[in-house]
């Protein structure tokens, strides 16, 4: 079947989320099927009663698209399920190859709709034969596509001239986090990228529409707003504005008590070079995370030129150096592609050297994959064994970094927005977007708190809640801390400087504290309780001087590292860890047990000795 584009009469089409009549939708009817288990059975033709399974892969923009599509389907009566087996139809939103998933769906005899960059940019893929498609700028018409697919039709909506509306119904994966697309497409022409083929040339939303959306989501109770884009730095160049103008307009709408935080999305170096000072000023704002994702892709100018990245390593350094100099606690994440066609050993050495120099807390490392139809796919490839070796070497270098050393004992303000994958900790982030894991009540989701960092890991840190932030008067709350902390903004850490560090992933939310804490630490303390805990530090110091105190601390750190690894790997063994981890005896556990046993024997010996002396005197 040829790709059937929109057949809507007139230029405007239908209003966002509005269903068009059948004749207005490009479709290919399938053969009549009398089997009641097939999608075109009578029941399937009753719209709005089926269950939809939505699976999303790729970037935050893709996630936002899925949330919009879920919102529209729910608004029209469809049920949403996390179980593919229970669903009547699968909706796959993907940014990468999905042949395995499509085959799985077909084997399960489920109707399938595919959305995202892959079907938009590679509509002629063999895997997409017989599959309905929703284009990246057609997400406001997903209900039409789903309804017709359930009837047994193949539908393809791909072309469009206007951007989807921002006020469509939306079902957020995390009710506290709004992923807000500020533009689609980009101005670049990277030789390896397929996204430009799918998203097209730059198309920016107006500042007024984005400000309106921010006000709406804040009223909905959102506590974290992620600005999403294929290139945030390019925003507005097609409509005569720029990124700093937008950021200042959005920041002006955020609550002054810093109850809602803003996270700036990924930006390539070329389009922010001229705005570095203005962007640094925004990143210093109390309600904006001091975090930015700036992909470098390679530490070699020769490779960057082959990629057509339109900047040099020196210009990337200028971005990183300027922001880290001007923004206290600034955290930079970056991306690296290993084994790009033509990459020599010397090119790779330069990349490793760059990563070692800056010790980025987050580096997303990938092996080059040739996207069909891109210029890089036609270039001479580096042998796969060499690519894998380079990827392993760079990963080993990166994982050896200890970006959060020195944070232990500090007080930090965090924003808590989700439950960790272990089901025990809550996840919060510092202003520098360092992930913090804490044990606290679920009622603390969507709130802010002051925590004491109790231990640090490779990917996150653990904290203990000292007090919650009163969002009505949190400025005075922080002023009541130490005079030396007055220079820190309400959103930054209340201790030492405003500097924070962060690991993978950005924005407010990510703390979790130690699993060995007693019940009193499972919720926020009052101000009076926090002062008592500070007074108890002297006793802790005395305890730390003996062997058992040292062993207890070592065991706690061991447990923290184990929890961190499980969370980083997305472990779903929630209560299993809580119930079973203590049964695994390591060296520290055995030493602790021996220490306790020896102490017990010593006490018994002393008691016996005293008893004997007492009897002797009598």
């Amino acid at each position: 079947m040829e790709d059937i584009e929109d057949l809507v009469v007139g230029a405007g089409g239908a209003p966002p989320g509005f269903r068009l009549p059948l004749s207005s939708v490009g479709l290919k009817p399938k053969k009549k099927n009398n089997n009641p288990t097939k999608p075109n059975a009578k029941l399937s033709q009753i719209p709005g009663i089926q269950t939809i399974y939505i699976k999303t892969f790729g970037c935050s923009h893709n996630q936002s698209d899925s949330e919009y599509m879920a919102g529209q389907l729910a608004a029209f009566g469809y049920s949403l399920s996390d179980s593919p087996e229970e669903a009547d139809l699968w909706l796959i939103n993907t940014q990468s190859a999905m042949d395995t998933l499509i085959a799985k769906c077909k084997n399960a005899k489920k109707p399938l709709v595919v959305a995202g960059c892959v079907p938009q940019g590679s509509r002629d893929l063999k895997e997409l034969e017989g599959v309905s498609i929703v284009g990246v700028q057609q997400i406001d018409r997903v209900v039409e596509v789903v309804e017709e697919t359930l009837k047994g039709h193949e539908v393809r909506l791909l072309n469009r001239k206007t951007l989807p509306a921002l006020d469509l119904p939306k079902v957020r994966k995390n009710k506290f986090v709004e992923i807000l697309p500020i533009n689609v497409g980009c101005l670049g022409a990277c030789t390896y990228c397929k996204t430009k083929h799918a998203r097209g040339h730059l198309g920016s939303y107006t500042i007024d529409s984005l400000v309106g959306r921010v006000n709406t989501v804040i009223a909905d109770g959102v506590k974290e707003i992620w600005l999403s884009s294929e290139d945030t730095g390019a925003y507005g160049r097609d409509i005569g504005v720029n990124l700093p103008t937008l950021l200042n307009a959005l920041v002006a709408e955020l609550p002054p008590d810093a109850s809602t935080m803003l996270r700036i999305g990924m930006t390539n170096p070329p389009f922010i070079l001229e705005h570095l000072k203005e962007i640094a000023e925004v990143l210093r704002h109390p309600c904006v995370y001091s975090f930015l994702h700036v992909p470098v892709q390679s530490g070699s100018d020769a490779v960057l030129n082959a990629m057509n990245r339109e900047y040099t390593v020196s210009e990337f350094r200028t971005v990183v150096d300027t922001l880290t100099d001007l923004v206290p606690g600034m955290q930079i994440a970056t991306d690296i592609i290993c084994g790009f066609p033509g990459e020599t050993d010397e090119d790779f050495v330069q990349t490793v050297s760059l990563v070692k120099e800056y010790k980025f807390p987050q580096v997303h490392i990938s092996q080059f994959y040739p996207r069909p139809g891109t210029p890089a796919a036609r270039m001479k490839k580096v042998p796969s064994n060499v690519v894998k070796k380079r990827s392993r070497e760079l990963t080993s270098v990166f994982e050896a970094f200890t970006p959060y050393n020195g944070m232990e004992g500090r007080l930090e303000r965090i924003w808590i927005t989700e439950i960790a994958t272990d089901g025990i900790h809550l996840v919060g982030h510092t202003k520098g977007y360092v992930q913090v894991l804490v044990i606290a009540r679920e009622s603390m989701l969507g709130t802010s708190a002051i925590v004491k960092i109790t231990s640090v890991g490779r990917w996150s840190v653990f904290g203990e809640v000292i007090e919650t932030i009163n969002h009505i008067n949190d400025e005075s709350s922080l002023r009541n801390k130490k005079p030396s902390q007055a220079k820190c903004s309400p959103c930054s850490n209340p201790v030492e400087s405003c500097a924070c560090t962060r690991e993978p992933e950005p924005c407010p939310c990510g703390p979790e504290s130690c699993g060995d804490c007693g019940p009193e630490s499972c919720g926020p303390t009052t101000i009076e309780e926090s002062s008592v805990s500070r007074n108890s530090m002297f006793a802790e110091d005395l305890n730390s001087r003996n062997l058992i105190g040292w062993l207890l601390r070592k065991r706690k750190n061991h447990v923290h590292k184990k929890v961190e690894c499980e969370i980083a790997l997305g472990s779903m063994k929630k209560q299993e860890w809580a119930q079973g981890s203590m049964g695994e005896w390591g060296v520290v556990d055995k030493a602790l047990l021996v220490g306790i046993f020896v102490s017990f024997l010593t006490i018994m010996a002393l008691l016996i000795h005293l008893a004997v002396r007492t009897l002797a005197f009598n």
Side-chain angles (χ1 to χ4, degrees):
M1 165 181 161
E2 293 297 323
D3 291 329
I4 299 178
E5 314 298 351
D6 292 35
L7 302 178
V8 181
V9 177
F18 200 85
R19 290 180 293 179
L20 293 170
L22 178 62
S23 61
S24 297
V25 181
L27 54 83
K28 178 182 179 181
K30 294 189 177 178
K31 293 179 181 179
K32 186 175 181 179
N33 192 336
N34 295 321
N35 186 337
T37 64
K38 296 297 181 180
N40 61 347
K42 188 174 181 180
L43 183 64
S44 296
Q45 297 188 29
I46 303 174
I49 65 171
Q50 293 82 7
T51 300
I52 311 297
Y53 167 68
I54 301 178
K55 183 66 175 178
T56 307
F57 299 92
C59 63
S60 61
H61 200 156
N62 257 28
Q63 181 62 49
S64 178
D65 286 351
S66 290
E67 292 177 355
Y68 273 124
M69 289 189 285
Q72 293 169 86
L73 292 167
F76 277 101
Y78 291 96
S79 299
L80 305 176
S81 174
D82 291 329
S83 171
E85 292 78 16
E86 296 176 0
D88 299 302
L89 178 143
W90 289 14
L91 171 57
I92 309 301
N93 187 5
T94 181
Q95 194 174 323
S96 57
M98 68 292 178
D99 49 334
T100 302
L101 196 57
I102 290 177
K104 186 177 180 181
C105 181
K106 289 180 177 179
N107 290 336
K109 301 188 185 306
K110 301 283 187 179
L112 175 64
V113 175
V114 178
C117 293
V118 169
Q120 181 76 58
S122 303
R123 59 189 73 180
D124 295 324
L125 285 176
K126 184 178 180 181
E127 295 88 343
L128 295 175
E129 290 180 4
V131 173
S132 291
I133 295 176
V134 181
V136 293
Q137 293 188 31
Q138 295 279 12
I139 60 172
D140 55 353
R141 297 179 62 187
V142 65
V143 173
E144 303 167 55
V145 178
V146 165
E147 287 186 0
E148 297 304 327
T149 303
L150 285 167
K151 293 175 185 177
H153 301 143
E154 178 186 344
V155 185
R156 293 193 170 194
L157 299 180
L158 293 165
N159 289 346
R160 191 181 188 131
K161 301 297 183 182
T162 59
L163 299 174
L166 292 172
D167 58 356
L168 295 170
K170 194 171 191 180
V171 176
R172 299 183 186 91
K173 185 177 180 181
N174 183 331
K175 70 177 183 178
F176 297 113
V177 178
E178 166 72 4
I179 302 173
L180 178 59
I182 62 173
N183 55 262
V184 300
C186 68
L187 295 176
C190 299
T191 55
Y192 57 85
C193 184
K194 193 73 175 176
T195 304
K196 179 66 175 283
H197 294 199
R199 298 280 182 180
H201 197 66
L202 182 68
S204 302
Y205 286 95
T206 66
I207 291 179
D208 287 345
S209 65
L210 293 166
V211 167
R213 182 63 182 173
V214 164
N215 285 322
T216 297
V217 302
I218 290 174
D220 287 345
V222 163
K223 300 301 178 184
E224 191 170 329
I225 300 172
W226 298 1
L227 301 185
S228 178
S229 166
E230 280 66 56
D231 187 353
T232 302
Y235 170 80
R237 289 174 178 258
D238 57 321
I239 57 175
V241 294
N242 58 39
L243 181 61
T245 303
L246 171 66
L247 294 177
N248 286 318
L250 297 183
V251 165
E253 304 300 319
L254 299 177
D257 63 359
S259 55
T260 299
M261 294 290 286
L262 182 72
R263 190 185 93 185
I264 303 174
M266 185 275 289
T267 179
N268 289 311
F271 300 113
I272 61 169
L273 279 167
E274 63 187 276
H275 300 302
L276 285 176
K277 290 185 178 180
E278 296 96 320
I279 291 174
E281 184 176 356
V282 173
L283 289 167
R284 288 196 300 267
H285 191 279
C287 301
V288 180
Y289 286 113
S290 304
F291 173 90
L292 199 59
H293 178 194
V294 187
V296 63
Q297 304 300 6
S298 175
S300 163
D301 283 338
V303 174
L304 291 178
N305 186 56
M307 292 177 171
N308 197 30
R309 290 290 288 170
E310 301 180 344
Y311 60 85
T312 64
V313 175
S314 176
E315 288 172 328
F316 172 79
R317 289 177 182 275
T318 297
V319 172
V320 176
D321 293 343
T322 302
L323 293 180
T324 52
D325 286 346
L326 297 180
V327 184
M330 183 68 199
Q331 295 292 294
I332 302 284
T334 195
D335 299 345
I336 299 290
I337 296 175
C338 289
F340 188 81
E343 181 185 66
T344 65
D345 289 341
E346 177 57 30
D347 293 328
F348 178 67
V349 167
Q350 292 176 27
T351 298
V352 173
S353 176
L354 182 72
V355 173
K356 283 183 176 179
E357 177 183 352
Y358 285 99
K359 291 183 171 57
F360 302 103
Q362 299 179 52
V363 180
H364 307 108
I365 301 168
S366 62
Q367 298 175 20
F368 172 74
Y369 174 80
R371 305 285 182 186
T374 60
R378 300 188 296 271
M379 298 178 183
K380 185 177 180 181
K381 298 176 182 59
V382 175
S384 59
N385 62 318
V386 176
V387 176
K388 292 176 182 178
K389 179 183 177 183
R390 290 175 182 174
S391 177
R392 287 194 297 267
E393 180 181 340
L394 186 58
T395 299
S396 297
V397 168
F398 165 61
E399 291 183 347
F401 298 158
T402 53
Y404 309 123
N405 280 3
M407 289 188 68
E408 190 169 354
R410 286 168 51 177
L411 296 183
E412 298 277 350
R413 180 174 177 176
I414 64 169
W415 289 261
I416 304 172
T417 56
E418 62 182 311
I419 300 173
T421 55
D422 68 348
I424 299 171
H425 293 84
L426 300 184
V427 180
H429 292 89
T430 67
K431 188 177 188 294
Y433 214 64
V434 178
Q435 180 172 277
V436 183
L437 304 177
V438 297
I439 290 182
R441 301 184 185 95
E442 278 192 35
S443 59
M444 286 197 67
L445 288 170
T447 68
S448 180
I450 302 298
V451 300
K452 178 184 177 183
I453 304 303
T454 56
S455 67
V456 301
R458 173 59 187 86
W459 309 110
S460 55
V461 301
F462 290 82
E464 175 184 352
V465 176
I466 301 300
E467 68 178 273
T468 54
I469 296 294
N470 179 352
H471 286 307
I472 297 176
N473 191 23
D474 58 330
E475 285 191 6
S476 61
S477 170
L478 287 179
R479 279 199 298 269
N480 288 336
K481 291 288 173 187
K482 293 181 180 179
S484 62
Q485 299 161 4
K487 63 180 180 180
C488 290
S489 66
C491 291
S492 58
N493 303 324
V495 156
E496 298 178 18
S497 72
C498 297
C500 350
T501 1
R502 160 47 180 160
E503 190 234 81
E505 258 94 320
C507 243
C509 205
E512 321 202 20
S513 90
C514 135
D516 291 339
C517 299
E520 68 277 3
S521 70
C522 293
T525 62
T526 62
I527 296 178
E528 290 79 6
E529 290 171 333
S530 68
S531 64
V532 171
S533 68
R534 284 192 291 270
N535 291 335
S536 68
M537 290 180 186
F538 177 70
E540 293 175 5
D541 288 341
L542 290 177
N543 185 52
S544 68
R545 294 173 190 170
N546 60 49
L547 175 62
I548 294 179
W550 178 82
L551 288 170
L552 284 169
R553 289 201 318 281
K554 293 292 286 183
R555 171 163 174 73
K556 184 174 79 171
N557 290 338
H558 170 74
V559 173
H560 279 187
K561 288 180 180 178
K562 180 176 179 181
V563 173
E564 184 195 35
C565 288
E566 289 188 356
I567 292 173
L569 293 173
S571 170
M572 301 308 292
K573 300 178 179 178
K574 302 179 179 180
Q575 299 305 323
E576 293 177 9
W577 174 86
Q579 297 167 1
S581 66
M582 300 304 290
E584 300 175 10
W585 294 88
V587 175
V588 173
D589 302 292
K590 293 175 182 176
L592 180 59
L593 183 61
V594 170
I596 293 173
F597 183 67
V598 170
S599 298
F600 175 75
L601 291 179
T602 303
I603 292 171
M604 291 300 297
L606 287 172
L607 290 175
I608 293 171
H609 177 70
L610 289 173
V612 170
R613 286 175 61 88
T614 302
L615 290 173
F617 281 121
N618 291 337

